[in-house]
């Protein structure tokens, strides 16, 4: 009997890390569901991937859109969910645009949370599946002065993922939940966040290759690249009163628009 083609749903598939995941899973022969706002980009991507694709555009700033896009779950069985859409912003908390903060919380936290829960429920019924929430190495640090909202949103992703992963392990449910915590990756992220990297970035393809390796090893927290992994471990030994000024100084050096 012919094996059923597996389906992966990727949010934020129109550029950067999400797009690299789409290419990687297309190479593995998966069927793809692609979500982002820029429909033209998703259509172009789908034309070139060479596997069946469903395009489901959505503006995940809007709660209603998150629930609408979850309607997919009534028609589809998701084998892998890449919960990736997100963005950042840099600057002094008192001066950055409040509406941009709120949009960031909506997409990085609220949409990520809603979609994760709805997909998890479907996977639990089936008894299997994989959810990868895209966090950031920022989410592993005690805080991020001059990028405060972004760091806080990613700390939420890390905390939520660790808890859900443990619940699933205790239930022996067969659903695997993990968080990807990259350092700098060369994508469109910088332009949106008004930053230039303090450290050289890796490519989105490299980031995804490391993510797939971490998923094969069933890691809960996946940190691509050796140096960022070492940094993530060492920073736990450093008290906040030393760590926070260090992060502040690194962040300040990244701000493009002051
Ligand atoms: N690049 C880095 O250095 C880095 C490091 C750590 C973590 N990350 C995380 O990686 C994830 C992907 O970012 P990236 O680096 O690949 O940046 P990117 O190239 O800017 O891609 C962001 C993706 O998110 C989508 N998105 C943003 N707002 C959305 C909305 N309201 N509704 C639907 N989709 C939305 C964008 O699609 P549309 O604009 O077409 O809607 C785009 O596809 C983010 O969660 C980011 O925080 C990035």
């Amino acid at each position: 009997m012919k094996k059923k083609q597996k389906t992966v749903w990727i949010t934020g598939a129109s550029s950067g890390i999400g797009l690299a995941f789409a290419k990687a899973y297309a190479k593995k022969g998966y069927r793809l569901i692609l979500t982002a706002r820029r429909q033209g980009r998703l259509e172009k991507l789908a034309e070139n991937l060479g596997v069946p694709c469903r395009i489901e555009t959505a503006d995940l700033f809007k709660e209603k859109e998150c629930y609408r896009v979850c309607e997919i779950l009534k028609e589809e069985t998701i084998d892998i969910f890449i919960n990736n859409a997100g963005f950042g912003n840099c600057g002094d908390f008192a001066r950055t645009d409040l509406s941009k903060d709120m949009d960031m919380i909506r997409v990085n936290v609220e949409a990520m949370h809603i979609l994760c829960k709805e997909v998890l429920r479907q996977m639990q019924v089936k008894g299997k599946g994989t959810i990868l929430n895209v966090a950031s190495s920022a989410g592993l640090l005690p805080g991020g002065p001059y990028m405060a909202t972004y760091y806080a949103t990613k700390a939420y992703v890390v905390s939520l993922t660790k808890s859900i992963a443990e619940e699933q392990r205790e239930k022996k449910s067969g659903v695997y939940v993990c968080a990807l915590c990259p350092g700098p990756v060369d994508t469109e992220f910088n332009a949106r966040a008004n930053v230039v990297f303090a450290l050289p970035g890796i490519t989105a393809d490299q980031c995804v290759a490391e993510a797939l390796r971490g998923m094969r090893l069933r890691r809960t927290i996946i940190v691509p690249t050796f140096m960022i992994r070492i940094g993530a471990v060492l920073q736990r030994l450093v008290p906040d009163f030393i760590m926070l000024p260090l992060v502040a100084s690194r962040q300040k050096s990244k701000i493009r628009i002051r």
Side-chain angles (χ1 to χ4, degrees):
M1 206 171 68
K2 214 178 149 203
K3 238 174 125 186
K4 192 177 172 282
Q5 190 173 32
K6 288 191 172 174
T7 296
V8 55
W9 180 15
I10 303 168
T11 67
S14 62
S15 78
I17 296 170
L19 189 148
F21 267 114
K23 286 191 298 180
Y25 278 111
K27 243 188 215 163
K28 288 171 178 281
Y30 278 72
R31 178 177 166 268
L32 303 174
I33 304 174
L34 306 171
T35 295
R37 288 165 302 180
R38 287 171 290 180
Q39 187 168 357
R41 283 226 189 169
L42 296 181
E43 282 168 356
K44 209 164 167 194
L45 175 64
E47 272 169 29
N48 293 316
L49 285 175
V51 289
C53 291
R54 171 173 175 176
I55 291 171
E56 204 56 52
T57 48
D59 183 350
L60 300 176
F61 290 157
K62 300 177 183 149
E63 194 179 331
K64 250 189 178 167
E65 285 277 277
C66 296
Y67 290 115
R68 182 190 59 75
V69 90
C70 283
E71 291 292 301
I72 286 177
L73 299 169
K74 290 187 186 149
E75 304 152 24
E76 300 275 0
T77 300
I78 310 297
D79 296 288
I80 299 177
F81 178 46
I82 307 293
N83 201 2
N84 162 73
F87 79 101
N89 193 25
C90 215
D92 178 336
F93 181 75
R95 293 174 61 188
T96 46
D97 183 359
L98 177 59
S99 68
K100 203 165 176 182
D101 287 353
M102 298 317 292
D103 278 348
M104 203 191 307
I105 292 168
R106 281 181 197 116
V107 70
N108 293 11
V109 175
E110 290 182 14
M112 183 282 309
H113 182 119
I114 293 168
L115 301 189
C116 181
K117 198 179 198 81
E118 296 288 332
V119 173
L120 180 70
R121 284 176 169 162
Q122 189 203 55
M123 287 181 175
Q124 270 202 167
V125 172
K126 227 178 20 142
K128 59 180 181 182
T130 294
I131 298 177
L132 178 132
N133 294 321
V134 178
S136 166
S137 57
L140 303 171
L141 290 164
Y146 304 100
M147 213 169 177
T149 309
Y150 181 70
Y151 275 61
T153 64
K154 293 303 183 179
Y156 183 96
V157 183
V158 169
S159 171
L160 186 81
T161 305
K162 281 184 181 171
S163 304
I164 303 169
E166 183 55 26
E167 288 175 7
Q168 294 304 309
R169 254 193 301 271
E170 289 190 4
K171 282 188 244 186
K172 298 188 173 49
S173 83
V175 180
Y176 162 55
V177 185
C178 59
L180 176 64
C181 297
V185 186
D186 292 324
T187 64
E188 294 172 21
F189 179 89
N190 272 359
R192 287 199 179 167
N194 292 326
V195 297
V196 283
F197 288 143
L199 299 170
I202 56 171
T203 66
D205 290 338
Q206 280 173 303
C207 177
V208 166
E210 295 252 6
L212 296 178
R213 189 174 149 271
M215 289 159 91
R216 273 195 303 277
L217 297 171
R218 286 294 194 257
R219 302 244 190 274
T220 301
I221 298 296
I222 302 170
V223 183
T225 72
F226 182 68
M227 287 314 286
I228 302 287
R229 256 195 306 278
I230 292 287
V233 173
L234 291 182
Q235 63 86 20
R236 284 190 223 139
L237 308 173
V238 181
D240 286 3
F241 75 89
I242 297 177
M243 199 62 209
L244 287 167
L246 282 176
V247 179
S249 133
R250 212 177 62 132
Q251 283 310 135
K252 269 199 264 188
S253 71
K254 287 162 63 173
I255 302 176
R256 204 201 307 264
I257 298 166
R258 281 161 206 276

